[in-house]
Amino acid sequence: MKLNTAEMNSNIKDEIIDFLMSPNVAESGKVIQVGDGIARIIGLQNVMSGELLEFENGTSGIAMNLEEDSVGVVLLGSDIGISEGDFISRTKKILQIPAGDAMLGRVVNSLGVPIDQKGAINATATQPIERVAPGVLTRKSVSVPLQTGIKSIDAMVPIGRGQRELIIGDRRTGKTTIALDTILNQKGTGVHCVYTAIGQKNSTVSEVIKVLEDHGAMEYTTIVVAGAAESAALQYLAPYSACAIAEHWMEKGKDVLVIYDDLSKHAVAYRSMSLLMRRPPGREAYPGDVFYLHSRLLERAGRLNEENGGGSITAIPIIETQSGNMSAYIPTNVISITDGQIYLEFEAFNSGIRPAVNPGLSVSRVGGAAQVKAMKKVAGPIRIELAQYRELASFAQFSSDLDKETKERLRHGERIVEILKQKQYNPLSPEKEIIILFAVTKYLVDDINIEDVGNFEKNLLEHFETEHEDILNEIKSKYELTEEIENKLLDIIKKFKENEN
């Protein structure tokens, strides 16, 4: 067979021209140690902190420790199937989570994967879970109230849209209940909610989901779950994922409420990861950057100015104390980051005062700026009168002979305490709160027996709903108490009391 060299040359030239020089270069390293959800690798010289890495078997990990001769990687899945000598490659990306309205009504894990058996999430956008907080010049001061529907909080410790208000207290003092009441009260307000369960039992999370479903709150709520059975890495990521979901809506000009339940367990998960990666332990064995852990999360909350869309993220972190010790490491850290705290008292809770808000240790650093004018007017005297009552009550127990004025003040204080009690999952609208607080601050409840105060409140509000809806609407329209409205309220409440008797 005779070869045609001219034809061969032509074919070879065509092949060379058609060949596209596009080599697939992948930077990879090798696993030298793996166990307890942590892997140590060598060979990735240019890896970035927080970068997403991929193992041979498809498991993902995040680069956390960048040491001179190795990299510490936190696994985002099981370490079964990963062994020494396996290759690991860079993705040159940081972790992203699905975001957008498709997330409403869904229950997802820390990676945005649905766990509610309702099918895949058709999200049109993704958000990086770690981002730099908005700068000072893009923010606006907090001035719009975020109503919780809880009388004691809206009156004494008001929360504004864009604020960071801590709920702190011992175990089983009603912290989660306050957070859920706040979510329920956002119905019809246009506020999207994100609830984050960190290190909680699955049965507890199921109860939370049921409460939100029963009250129709899931339609504007997303739940991010990293249960107690999940790895420390997933518990660590959960609040950042929740914040990323919220940031998408904030950038669209919407108001968002984010609950972190709770950051004590989040800090414990981060401590576990840090100790496994052999980072030097500090106070209470927490690593040195545990303050930054929460500050970089909570600083992402805030209210943007109109040039940046005018959206807001209101953050309500929850911290669990041990025997009321607010001076422990994590509680003091988070108190110093937030704009106030709602302190729940174990003794008050057990004595039947629920919500068990301590007016002395609870504070809102935004204050009256986050209250409507009518609420500011009726709630002004309550904190002082309650503080005086608590002081008088502590002295009165040692004396049987009290003067008339002291007895009256004690009687008035008892009625305030009774009025501020509220059943769980029963938030009130601002106009109803204003009416009932008006009644107690004008001494219209002082002549009612203490055991009848609850029924009086219920019947009075029902009376306004059925007979005087125009007054409710008048208050709701401007949230201002003019002299005319005050006189109307006084007349209606006095006549109602006469008819009741």
Side-chain angles (χ1 to χ4, degrees):
M1 183 180 175
K2 192 175 180 181
L3 294 174
N4 188 337
T5 54
E7 191 179 330
M8 282 178 61
N9 287 342
S10 175
N11 288 340
I12 291 169
K13 280 180 184 178
D14 289 343
E15 287 293 326
I16 291 170
I17 291 166
D18 291 340
F19 179 72
L20 295 174
M21 191 75 176
S22 56
N24 185 16
V25 179
E27 198 175 333
S28 63
K30 192 179 283 189
V31 177
I32 57 169
Q33 188 182 7
V34 63
D36 297 318
I38 303 291
R40 298 185 73 77
I41 59 172
I42 55 169
L44 293 182
Q45 299 299 322
N46 301 315
V47 71
M48 301 178 290
S49 178
E51 185 180 336
L52 198 61
L53 305 174
E54 199 167 302
F55 291 86
E56 275 184 52
N57 67 349
T59 303
S60 296
I62 297 177
M64 293 285 285
N65 263 24
L66 305 185
E67 297 172 16
E68 193 174 349
D69 55 349
S70 65
V71 177
V73 178
V74 176
L75 303 181
L76 298 179
S78 172
D79 56 16
I80 297 170
I82 300 171
S83 55
E84 291 179 27
D86 283 0
F87 285 101
I88 180 170
S89 57
R90 291 182 63 190
T91 63
K92 299 181 182 177
K93 298 175 185 174
I94 64 167
L95 194 60
Q96 307 251 338
I97 189 167
D101 290 348
M103 301 296 282
L104 293 173
R106 302 304 301 266
V107 183
V108 299
N109 67 10
S110 303
L111 305 176
V113 178
I115 54 173
D116 53 5
Q117 283 143 17
K118 291 182 181 176
I121 295 172
N122 299 315
T124 54
T126 58
Q127 287 280 115
I129 65 161
E130 290 273 14
R131 283 184 70 186
V132 177
V136 176
L137 297 178
T138 63
R139 294 179 184 247
K140 189 179 179 183
S141 60
V142 175
S143 59
V144 181
L146 184 127
Q147 300 288 348
T148 65
I150 302 167
K151 290 169 289 187
S152 54
I153 293 173
D154 289 340
M156 297 186 294
V157 204
I159 301 173
R161 295 186 183 184
Q163 190 177 343
R164 301 157 302 175
E165 185 77 9
L166 171 67
I167 300 175
I168 185 168
D170 280 8
R171 187 173 173 272
R172 300 198 69 79
T173 49
K175 301 185 295 298
T176 301
T177 300
I178 287 178
L180 292 181
D181 273 337
T182 306
I183 291 175
L184 299 183
N185 200 51
Q186 305 316 308
K187 193 169 189 176
T189 63
V191 176
H192 292 335
C193 302
V194 184
Y195 176 83
T196 323
I198 308 162
Q200 295 187 32
K201 294 181 290 185
N202 288 340
S203 57
T204 306
V205 179
S206 297
E207 287 170 19
V208 168
I209 295 168
K210 188 175 186 306
V211 167
L212 296 177
E213 284 177 341
D214 290 349
H215 291 83
M218 278 304 288
E219 62 191 43
Y220 55 87
T221 305
T222 304
I223 298 179
V224 180
V225 181
E230 300 287 354
S231 66
L234 292 178
Q235 290 182 41
Y236 157 72
L237 290 174
Y240 299 104
S241 299
C243 192
I245 293 168
E247 276 176 333
H248 176 81
W249 286 315
M250 178 178 73
E251 287 164 3
K252 300 284 183 188
K254 293 177 179 168
D255 296 309
V256 193
L257 168 67
V258 188
I259 311 288
Y260 302 117
D261 190 6
D262 64 64
L263 292 189
S264 308
K265 293 185 179 74
H266 181 235
V268 168
Y270 186 62
R271 177 172 63 183
S272 301
M273 283 169 45
S274 298
L275 292 174
L276 286 167
M277 287 192 293
R278 299 178 187 178
R279 289 184 177 179
R283 180 177 162 189
E284 293 181 27
Y286 288 105
D289 64 339
V290 75
F291 181 89
Y292 181 58
L293 173 78
H294 290 148
S295 67
R296 78 175 190 266
L297 170 70
L298 295 171
E299 281 298 319
R300 287 161 75 177
R303 188 179 173 207
L304 300 178
N305 55 30
E306 276 70 27
E307 293 80 37
N308 290 278
S312 71
I313 292 178
T314 307
I316 300 187
I318 295 174
I319 288 285
E320 186 179 297
T321 54
Q322 305 293 327
S323 304
N325 182 18
M326 286 176 72
S327 60
Y329 192 27
I330 300 304
T332 50
N333 275 354
V334 181
I335 285 170
S336 68
I337 297 164
T338 51
D339 307 312
Q341 70 273 351
I342 298 163
Y343 179 66
L344 303 180
E345 240 177 346
F346 189 69
E347 293 77 12
F349 184 85
N350 286 339
S351 63
I353 300 171
R354 298 174 188 180
V357 178
N358 180 317
L361 294 174
S362 301
V363 64
S364 171
R365 296 190 184 98
V366 173
Q371 281 179 317
V372 292
K373 288 181 181 177
M375 180 64 81
K376 204 184 293 187
K377 194 170 187 179
V378 297
I382 283 183
R383 184 188 278 272
I384 297 166
E385 288 173 350
L386 205 52
Q388 288 172 342
Y389 162 70
R390 287 168 71 99
E391 194 175 342
L392 274 176
S394 61
F395 284 110
Q397 61 184 332
F398 300 111
S399 175
S400 55
D401 187 24
L402 300 170
D403 60 85
K404 186 184 175 186
E405 188 188 345
T406 304
K407 284 179 180 176
E408 284 175 356
R409 284 168 74 180
L410 284 169
R411 186 177 181 84
H412 182 59
E414 285 170 357
R415 275 30 177 208
I416 292 175
V417 170
E418 202 63 30
I419 279 290
L420 292 180
K421 289 180 183 177
Q422 197 165 332
K423 290 180 181 176
Q424 63 179 2
Y425 315 137
N426 186 33
L428 293 175
S429 61
E431 56 272 20
K432 289 181 180 177
E433 289 180 331
I434 288 162
I435 285 170
I436 203 67
L437 293 171
F438 175 84
V440 75
T441 51
K442 294 295 181 183
Y443 300 90
L444 298 171
V445 186
D446 287 14
D447 56 346
I448 297 169
N449 291 332
I450 196 79
E451 60 272 12
D452 297 329
V453 169
N455 282 331
F456 167 77
E457 178 190 350
K458 183 186 169 194
N459 296 335
L460 178 64
L461 292 177
E462 284 177 359
H463 177 68
F464 269 95
E465 279 180 336
T466 54
E467 305 291 330
H468 302 283
E469 196 178 353
D470 57 323
I471 298 287
L472 285 171
N473 291 332
E474 199 173 346
I475 296 171
K476 190 177 180 179
S477 63
K478 290 184 180 177
Y479 288 121
E480 282 188 48
L481 281 186
T482 60
E483 194 174 337
E484 183 189 348
I485 295 175
E486 284 193 28
N487 291 332
K488 281 182 186 176
L489 289 175
L490 283 169
D491 289 342
I492 292 167
I493 295 169
K494 283 175 181 175
K495 282 176 185 173
F496 172 76
K497 284 173 68 181
E498 287 170 11
N499 295 334
E500 282 280 291
N501 296 331

